[in-house]
Amino acid sequence: MKVLVVNCGSSSLKYQLIETTTSAVLAKGLVERIGLGEAEYSFTHGERPKVKVGIQSKNHTEALREVLGKLVSEPYGVLSSLEEIEAIGHRVVHGGESFYHSALITDEVIKAIEANGELAPLHNPPNLQGILACREVLPNKKQVAVFDTAFHQSMPEYSSMYALPYEYYEKYKIRRYGFHGTSHRYVAMKTAEFLGKPLENLHLITCHLGNGSSITAIAGGKSRDTSMGFTPLEGVVMGTRSGSLDPAVLLYIMEKENLTPRHMSDLLNKKSGILGLSGISHDMREIHDAVEKGHSRAKLTLEVLVHSVRKYIGAYMVELGRVDAVVFTAGIGENDWVVREMCMARMENWGFVLDKEKNRTTRGTLAEISTFSSPSKILVVPTNEELMIALETQWVLEEKE
Ligand code: ADP
C-alpha cells in the first residue's frame, strides 16, 4: 500500500511517501517557515539528488498543494496520479486518554484530538492543521492518526499516576502519558523478528536516546512503564531537557531569579540537559570531542547522562522481573558506542555481557552487541517512525474493511 506519512509542526510539514509492502521510501521532503514569508522546501524524490526551493505557502494547505504537485509532475514526480496514494497517516503527539490505538480519522476523532490539545498545546494544533489540510485537498482519501502516546496507554495505573492530590488528575488529567510510542513499538517488533520469537513472549527494555530520549519497559509487546511523563520533560537527561529533577528545585530557581512559568519551562526544555550541564552543545558528538580534549564538564555531562539511563534500566529490570533484551535506538542509541558501553558496564551479574568489539563497530545498523553466550541480549535496532506510521495506517484500514 502506498501511504503518505505526514508530520506537521507549527510552521513545518514533513512527509514521506512509503510503499508498505517493500518498506521503500518513494519520496520525502520538508517544508519549513510556512506562513513566515518565503517558505523553504527541500525534498528527495526517487533516486534524484536532494532539491531545495523557495515557495509561497501561507498555510499548511498551500504547502500540501505544493508537495502533491511535486509528487506527480515532471521532473520530480514519482507518481503518475494522486490516485496512487492509498491512504494518509498522520503523526499526532497526544492522544490523551481517548486513544489506545491508531484511529481512522472521523469528525469524532478530530474533536478528540482538539480536546487533547490542552495537554500538548504546541503539537496537537499543528498536527490537526495537517489533517484538515489533507481533508481539504484530498477529500476522498482515508486518513489515520497515529499517536505518540497510544502505545503507553497499557501502563498500569501504578506507573501512570503521580502522587499528587487526586483532584488534579480529575480536574486536569494530570498523569503520566509517555511519548515516542511509535518508536518503542517499532523497535520492539523488529527485536522480536530478529530474535525469531513472538513479541508476546518477550520482556524488553527499549532505550530511545536521541535529542529527546525515553526508556520503556515492555512486557509481551505492551508498555508497562516509560520514562517520559505528563510531558516529554520527565525521565533521562536529554539534549536540552533536564529530565527528572526534584520539583522543589524549579520553585527555588523561580523565586530566586524571579522567573515566570514560561521562562522556567524554557529553561527546563531548551537550556538544560546535555547543553546546560556541559555549556558546550546539545549534541553528543561535540561532547565526545570535548572529553577527548580534557574538558571536565563534558566528562561530567556524559557521566550524568549515562547514570540517568542506568537508573531506568535497573528500575525496569526489577519491574519486568526478567529481561530478554535491552535495545538501543535513535541518534545516540544507534551511533554512540561509548554511551552504550557505559550504560551496559558492570551488568554481567544481571545477565548482560557486552561484546565490546561488536559494540564499537556497530553504527546505525541492526545488530546484537552482547556476546554469544550472554544470557540476556543487548541489541542496536535502528528506529523508523515514519515506516511504523505507514504500517499502522495500513493495519487500521485493513481492520476496518
Ligand atoms: P531526534 O530526537 O531529533 O529525532 P535523533 O534521534 O536524530 O534526534 O538524535 C539526534 C542526536 O543523536 C544528536 O543530537 C546527537 O547527539 C546524536 N548523534 C547522532 N549521531 C551521533 C554519533 N555518531 N555519535 C554520537 N551521537 C550522535
Side-chain angles (χ1 to χ4, degrees):
M1 177 182 277
K2 282 191 182 60
V3 180
L4 182 66
V5 175
V6 175
N7 181 356
C8 282
S10 58
S11 62
S12 67
L13 186 159
K14 208 164 152 187
Y15 67 93
Q16 284 196 10
L17 180 65
I18 295 179
E19 173 54 66
T20 54
T21 44
T22 57
S23 306
V25 178
L26 308 177
K28 63 178 177 181
L30 169 67
V31 185
E32 289 173 289
R33 297 183 48 77
I34 295 170
L36 302 169
E38 193 181 60
E40 293 161 12
Y41 179 19
S42 56
F43 58 91
T44 312
H45 285 187
E47 299 299 313
R48 298 180 200 90
K50 190 169 177 170
V51 179
K52 276 189 187 176
V53 288
I55 57 169
Q56 294 304 320
S57 27
K58 289 200 287 292
N59 51 42
H60 287 83
T61 306
E62 288 189 14
L64 181 69
R65 281 189 206 282
E66 190 74 38
V67 167
L68 295 174
K70 288 277 187 294
L71 286 174
V72 291
S73 59
E74 287 301 324
Y76 305 115
V78 290
L79 299 172
S80 49
S81 125
L82 293 176
E83 289 306 305
E84 285 182 55
I85 299 176
E86 287 162 90
I88 304 170
H90 290 269
R91 177 188 182 217
V92 181
V93 167
H94 221 304
E97 294 190 318
S98 330
F99 297 101
Y100 283 66
H101 304 284
S102 302
L104 181 69
I105 294 174
T106 59
D107 291 344
E108 288 71 50
V109 167
I110 287 180
K111 276 195 205 121
I113 295 172
E114 233 161 7
N116 288 319
E118 259 194 78
L119 297 171
L122 297 180
H123 294 105
N124 273 31
N127 296 158
L128 196 54
Q129 276 175 1
I131 291 171
L132 297 176
C134 288
R135 274 198 151 187
E136 188 180 336
V137 181
L138 298 168
N140 300 323
K141 300 280 179 220
K142 294 219 163 94
Q143 298 194 58
V144 171
V146 179
F147 302 93
D148 278 9
T149 52
F151 181 60
H152 301 299
Q153 281 295 97
S154 53
M155 278 194 287
E157 263 184 314
Y158 64 76
S159 20
S160 69
M161 289 304 291
Y162 292 115
L164 287 168
Y166 197 73
E167 68 194 80
Y168 293 102
Y169 167 63
E170 292 173 317
K171 269 206 269 190
Y172 306 121
K173 294 279 171 237
I174 294 177
R175 46 157 278 195
R176 308 184 61 255
Y177 292 96
F179 298 86
H180 287 147
T182 315
S183 174
H184 289 291
R185 185 169 183 212
Y186 179 78
V187 297
M189 271 171 38
K190 283 277 149 192
T191 299
E193 249 173 68
F194 180 79
L195 297 177
K197 293 185 178 159
L199 185 52
E200 294 69 41
N201 297 349
L202 292 174
H203 282 194
L204 306 172
I205 298 176
T206 49
C207 308
H208 177 115
L209 308 178
N211 267 324
S213 301
S214 65
I215 305 193
T216 298
I218 302 175
K222 293 195 168 23
S223 172
R224 180 81 74 80
D225 199 357
T226 192
S227 59
M228 284 178 167
F230 180 60
T231 74
L233 189 54
E234 191 180 340
V236 296
V237 172
M238 306 177 215
T240 60
R241 294 187 197 125
S242 61
S244 295
L245 40 79
D246 179 347
V249 168
L250 61 111
L251 303 177
Y252 192 80
I253 297 179
M254 283 171 85
E255 220 168 291
K256 286 277 177 199
E257 304 255 322
N258 210 5
L259 296 186
T260 61
R262 205 169 149 179
H263 281 124
M264 195 62 218
S265 165
D266 227 44
L267 193 153
L268 293 171
N269 280 292
K270 298 187 181 151
K271 297 180 181 154
S272 299
I274 297 171
L275 171 68
L277 185 54
S278 70
I280 299 171
S281 163
H282 70 279
D283 193 313
M284 276 314 288
R285 287 164 287 200
E286 292 187 41
I287 301 302
H288 289 303
D289 288 348
V291 171
E292 270 172 34
K293 290 183 189 128
H295 195 294
S296 59
R297 243 166 64 199
K299 182 165 171 280
L300 174 66
T301 303
L302 179 61
E303 288 166 355
V304 172
L305 165 78
V306 166
H307 184 61
S308 73
V309 173
R310 285 171 65 87
K311 281 210 260 190
Y312 278 98
I313 294 177
Y316 291 167
M317 276 167 27
V318 172
E319 171 61 21
L320 291 171
R322 175 199 96 227
V323 178
D324 298 291
V326 168
V327 183
F328 288 93
T329 193
I332 297 172
E334 291 167 30
N335 296 297
D336 193 328
W337 67 265
V338 178
V339 166
R340 292 192 307 246
E341 185 175 304
M342 290 172 74
C343 285
M344 298 311 292
R346 306 185 314 281
M347 292 225 196
E348 294 77 11
N349 288 340
W350 303 104
F352 295 95
V353 188
L354 187 73
D355 182 328
K356 288 194 176 176
E357 197 42 46
K358 267 201 249 167
N359 180 44
R360 267 166 215 242
T361 51
T362 297
R363 223 177 127 167
T365 49
L366 199 162
E368 181 178 336
I369 55 169
S370 42
T371 60
F372 184 70
S373 56
S374 178
S376 297
K377 303 294 173 202
I378 313 169
L379 304 179
V380 174
V381 179
T383 193
N384 191 337
E385 290 167 88
E386 289 79 12
L387 177 59
M388 190 72 222
I389 293 173
L391 290 171
E392 296 239 1
T393 300
Q394 176 174 3
W395 296 335
V396 166
L397 296 181
E398 283 170 354
E399 263 171 44
K400 301 276 183 237
E401 269 160 18

